[in-house]
Amino acid sequence: MNDREKILEVKNLKKYYPAKHGNYLKAVDGVTFDIYRGETLGIVGESGCGKTTCGKTCIGILPKTDGTVYFRGKDIHRMTRKQRFAFTKEVQMIFQDPYASLDPHQKVYNIIAEGIRIHRLAGNKTEEQKMVLELLEMAGLLAGHASRNVHEFSGGQRQRIGIARALSVNPGFLFCDEPISALDVSIQAQIINLLMDLKKEKDLTMFFIAHDLSIVRHISDRIGVMYLGKMVELTDSDTLYDHPLHPYTEALLTAIPIADPDISAGRKQMILEGEVPSPVNPPQGCRFAGRCKKCMGICHDTEPVMQEIEPNHWAACHLYGRKEK
Ligand code: SF4
C-alpha cells in the first residue's frame, strides 16, 4: 500500500468552532491519515464524532483550524482560483440527503449537464446529450428520466441522479458523506453496489463516511474509526473486523447484528455504555476512558497517541504500551 501514490495527505488536522465562555468545540482534533490512489478509505464513528466535519475539511468545503491537507501534493486550503477550479473537477461529492442536495424543481438533464457545461467537456449540444444519456445509464436510470423533474423521483433514484451528477465531470476522487443513511434499507445495498462497480470501472479513489461499520465493510479497503474528534484505529478492512485492537472498535463491532444465530451466540457482546463526553471539554487522558471496560489508571491522565501496533495497523490505546520510534 505504501508504494502507491498518495492522493490525499492529512496531517494533524484540526477543526474547532467557537463555543460559549471563550471555549472551543473541538470537532476534529489532530487527525492524520493518507488516502492512496484507487483505494476506498471508510471513516466510521458514532454521530457527532467529527467524521463528516473531518471529511468536509479535508476537501476544503470547510476551512481548517490547523494542520495540513494536501491533494496530489497541493495544499487544498491555499489553492489559487485556477487550482480550485481544477480541483472541483477532480473531486466530486455525494451527499447524505438526496432530498436536500438536489433542487426538486430542476430537470434531471440540467442537473447532470451543469458540470459538463461549467468545465466545457462537450464540444456541442449533441455531444452533451450523449454524455448525459450515458451517465443516466451508468447510474441505473433511464433515458426518459432526463426530461423529468427531481421531485418525481424516490430517494434511491435521487441518489442515483446525484451519482450521475458527480460523475459528469469525470472525477478521479469521490467524497461520499453517508450516501445511503437517508435511504430505505432495501435500497442501500443497490447504491453501495453501484458505487463499487463505478469505482472499479472508472478507477476512482473514494473517501466514504458512514456511521455504521456494517455499511463500510464491503466498500472500503481501509477503515479509520473516529471517536470524539480523534482517529483511534486505522487499518485494512478485514483486519479491522477480524482483529480489532481498540476497545471502541470492538464495542462498535459487537453492536452489528449477525444473521447467523450460531455465530451471533459465540460472539461476546461489549455494550457501549455511558454518554460521549462533550467535545467542548474533552477528558484529559483517553477520550474513551469513561466508557471503556479495559480502562487503566494511565488512561485518565495521559492521552494515548496513534501508533503502528502491527504492520499497517494503527491504534491509539494504552493497552499496547509505548512503541519505540
Ligand atoms: Fe480504554 Fe485506556 Fe485504551 Fe482508552 S487508552 S481505549 S481507556 S484501555
Side-chain angles (χ1 to χ4, degrees), residues 251-264:
L252 285 181
L253 281 169
T254 58
I256 298 175
I258 293 182
D260 185 331
D262 293 337
I263 300 177
S264 186

Side-chain angles (χ1 to χ4, degrees), residues 27-274:
V28 179
D29 199 12
V31 166
T32 296
F33 61 92
D34 300 319
I35 301 184
Y36 296 89
R37 187 189 166 93
E39 79 162 338
T40 297
L41 178 77
I43 299 281
V44 292
E46 290 165 291
S47 155
C49 71
K51 57 190 185 298
T52 292
T53 305
C54 176
K56 287 184 173 173
T57 313
C58 285
I59 58 163
I61 296 178
L62 295 172
K64 66 178 184 180
T65 302
D66 202 1
T68 55
V69 182
Y70 284 87
F71 182 83
R72 290 185 185 273
K74 288 196 183 66
D75 184 337
I76 66 131
H77 293 104
R78 289 168 187 258
M79 282 180 174
T80 62
R81 265 179 86 139
K82 202 173 158 195
Q83 287 170 338
R84 169 68 50 191
F85 184 69
F87 180 77
T88 59
K89 180 183 174 304
E90 181 64 15
V91 177
Q92 283 290 304
M93 295 136 231
I94 295 168
F95 295 103
Q96 180 176 6
D97 184 357
Y99 288 89
S101 60
L102 298 173
D103 180 347
H105 304 296
Q106 276 273 346
K107 288 246 180 303
V108 171
Y109 183 96
N110 289 334
I111 283 179
I112 298 174
E114 190 185 9
I116 298 172
R117 290 172 190 160
I118 290 172
H119 291 278
R120 299 177 185 208
L121 301 176
N124 52 45
K125 189 76 185 165
T126 311
E127 212 179 308
E128 180 188 287
Q129 285 168 351
K130 190 168 168 266
M131 288 169 81
V132 170
L133 293 184
E134 278 171 9
L135 285 156
L136 281 170
E137 191 188 338
M138 195 189 292
L141 294 160
L142 302 171
H145 288 151
S147 57
R148 288 166 56 181
N149 286 329
V150 169
H151 68 77
E152 298 176 51
F153 292 89
S154 66
Q157 285 174 315
R158 287 184 199 208
Q159 201 54 298
R160 288 178 188 273
I161 297 167
I163 291 169
R165 174 178 66 175
L167 295 179
S168 67
V169 294
N170 211 9
F173 188 98
L174 269 192
F175 170 60
C176 305
D177 181 18
E178 301 209 41
I180 58 166
S181 56
L183 304 178
D184 287 350
V185 176
S186 58
I187 309 294
Q188 291 183 347
Q190 291 176 18
I191 298 296
I192 289 283
N193 289 339
L194 173 65
L195 286 169
M196 285 172 76
D197 289 346
L198 292 171
K199 177 194 175 254
K200 213 163 148 193
E201 195 180 313
K202 302 202 154 283
D203 189 26
L204 296 166
T205 304
M206 293 204 325
F207 188 7
F208 195 99
I209 309 282
H211 67 274
D212 181 333
L213 268 167
S214 63
I215 288 168
V216 282
R217 171 154 209 180
H218 298 294
I219 201 164
S220 306
D221 298 294
R222 289 188 304 141
I223 296 175
V225 180
M226 277 187 75
Y227 185 77
L228 204 62
K230 294 273 183 189
M231 186 83 85
V232 296
E233 185 157 3
L234 177 65
T235 189
D236 66 81
S237 220
D238 289 341
T239 308
L240 192 88
Y241 281 82
D242 298 339
H243 178 48
L245 293 176
H246 198 282
Y248 178 59
T249 312
E250 284 185 70
L252 285 181
L253 281 169
T254 58
I256 298 175
I258 293 182
D260 185 331
D262 293 337
I263 300 177
S264 186
R267 191 168 69 176
K268 210 169 138 205
Q269 262 235 310
M270 216 170 151
I271 307 288
L272 259 179
E273 284 168 356

Side-chain angles (χ1 to χ4, degrees), residues 276-291:
V276 181
S278 162
V280 177
N281 272 315
Q284 190 191 343
C286 173
R287 294 182 182 196
F288 188 55
R291 304 170 82 191

